[in-house]
Amino acid sequence: MTASEYDRCVDLYSDNLYRFVLKSLRDEEQAKDVVQESFLRLWENREAVISGKEKGYLFTIAYRLVVDQIRMRQRYVGGEQVLINRGSSQRGEFDNLSETIERYLDLLPPIQKSLILLRDYEGYSYREMAEMTALSESQVKVYIFRARVTLKKYIGDINDIL
Amino acid sequence: MYDWDHYEELALDYIEGNLSDERRRTFESFMESHPEVAQEVRSLKESMPVLSVDRVEFPDKERLKRGVKRSLRWRQVGSFVGGAAAASVVVGLFGLLGSLGRIDDSIEYGGQQLAEQIEVIYQETAKSVAAETEVAQADDVKQDVVSDVISVPEKVVSTVDTYVGAVTPLTTLNKRIEAPKVDKNQEELNPVVLEPLFTDSYAVPDLIASNRDITLEQVELPEATTDELPGYDDSDEGLTDGTKEAMRILASLLAPLDDLLPIKRYSTENERGIEIASFIRIGNRVE
């Protein structure tokens, strides 16, 4: 990969990668760091990365960095409570269903959340997601199903309240 | 027998319609005996919570990039002709500095004499290099090339200085070159402003266009065997003789500086050649 081909990857994928990481971590600075680190690794491994697989490579690296970040948070702050608290600072009113869904994303376990983001935003297949996350395809489906059920339950509850 | 601990996998495939008839029937009978699963599946079949598109922009794209900044416009020149023309001017610069080293510094030069001599050497170098790189047809890129070439990264300038050795004319030259500012954090090269040395000198493309009759001795290019040249491959049949020659000249000039200005081969979908310091390319379009 030449410098110009690499730069094209920045143009094509940095927004989507940032969206994935930002929504996973809910922290702009950390998200920027992860995106930068992912692109740095792409550059360092530019000879090894197969042409056409750059996007998958970037998301794989970013996913691992996100998982590391979340583990570190859990270690230092104690459990997933942090993510849940941040995410559920509700405003009480919701503009539309998708915004509602996004708020409840934070209630999901981190892996389920990342998988939903990869699936819905990036349109990755279950097989591709399995490769990226080092899970089996069947595990990926299990997580996605559980995530959808959980989200549906929360949204259903909200509708009942309204 | 299916592992019903992970019934969710089948449930998802069922909802998305990805089960074979046989498996679908198996799963339906599983749901009959598990009403809570049937309830989950029914609920998701009604409506599936899916994230809708949400655009987010990464704020620091330019900082991630590795190529030379767009303002340098190397890439806009792009084509072989443009690349070769640009390279020939760079070579011209090297040739000029190399030639300056040959000026007998025991002679006292007045400013005017020096200017004349340098102009002559410059023209001579430019002409011989241009002739070798078949650049004469490059009418349409002349202006681009002229403006591009005044941007020389710090490495090139400082390397040339060290390599050629500091002779009096070089001091004069260096005064005209604004020191480039390199921000180590950003790893970006800012363009160097290289002002015209002498009012009577000619930019290479203008010189080519002018058809001035210059009959001076050939400038000697440093010798190097092609085997040692980084990135050079004479056997590549996709390249024209002009490209090969340009590659040979440039590679032989830059071979001693390989550590500082890495030269490597590159190939893209429709172009092949050599690449110097990741931003100067000499190559051919390949059909």
Side-chain angles (χ1 to χ4, degrees), chain B residues 224-233 247-249 251-253 255 263:
Chain B
T225 62
T226 51
D227 292 343
E228 299 165 355
L229 301 180
Y232 179 72
D233 180 6
M247 283 167 66
R248 191 192 67 76
I249 294 169
S252 68
L253 280 165
I263 304 172

Side-chain angles (χ1 to χ4, degrees), chain A residues 7 15 23 126 146 152, chain B residues 8 16 43 54 58 66:
Chain A
D7 284 356
D15 288 343
K23 288 184 188 289
Y126 298 127
R146 287 183 187 165
K152 186 69 195 258
Chain B
E8 294 104 324
E16 295 182 346
S43 164
D54 179 15
F58 185 68
R66 298 282 169 169

Side-chain angles (χ1 to χ4, degrees), chain B residues 127-141:
Chain B
K127 177 140 180 150
S128 68
V129 170
E132 296 210 46
T133 50
E134 295 183 350
V135 88
Q137 312 92 326
D139 289 346
D140 54 340
V141 292

Side-chain angles (χ1 to χ4, degrees), chain B residues 88-89 92 118-131 135-139 142-143 145-146 200-216:
Chain B
S88 73
V89 181
I118 289 177
E119 184 194 344
V120 166
I121 294 171
Y122 180 67
Q123 289 172 2
E124 165 198 18
T125 310
K127 177 140 180 150
S128 68
V129 170
V135 88
Q137 312 92 326
D139 289 346
K142 268 175 213 153
Q143 287 313 310
V145 170
V146 172
D200 287 332
S201 65
Y202 292 83
V204 174
D206 291 344
L207 185 70
I208 297 159
S210 72
N211 281 327
R212 282 159 59 95
D213 185 23
I214 301 167
T215 49
L216 286 163

Side-chain angles (χ1 to χ4, degrees), chain B residues 20-51:
Chain B
S20 64
D21 284 353
E22 192 195 334
R23 285 206 133 189
R24 186 172 50 78
R25 279 192 294 274
T26 316
F27 186 69
E28 280 167 352
S29 63
F30 172 77
M31 281 198 293
E32 277 171 24
S33 54
H34 295 80
E36 73 288 355
V37 174
Q39 168 57 30
E40 282 175 354
V41 169
R42 213 175 16 252
S43 164
L44 282 184
K45 275 198 101 171
E46 272 170 26
S47 73
M48 179 101 96
V50 173
L51 299 175

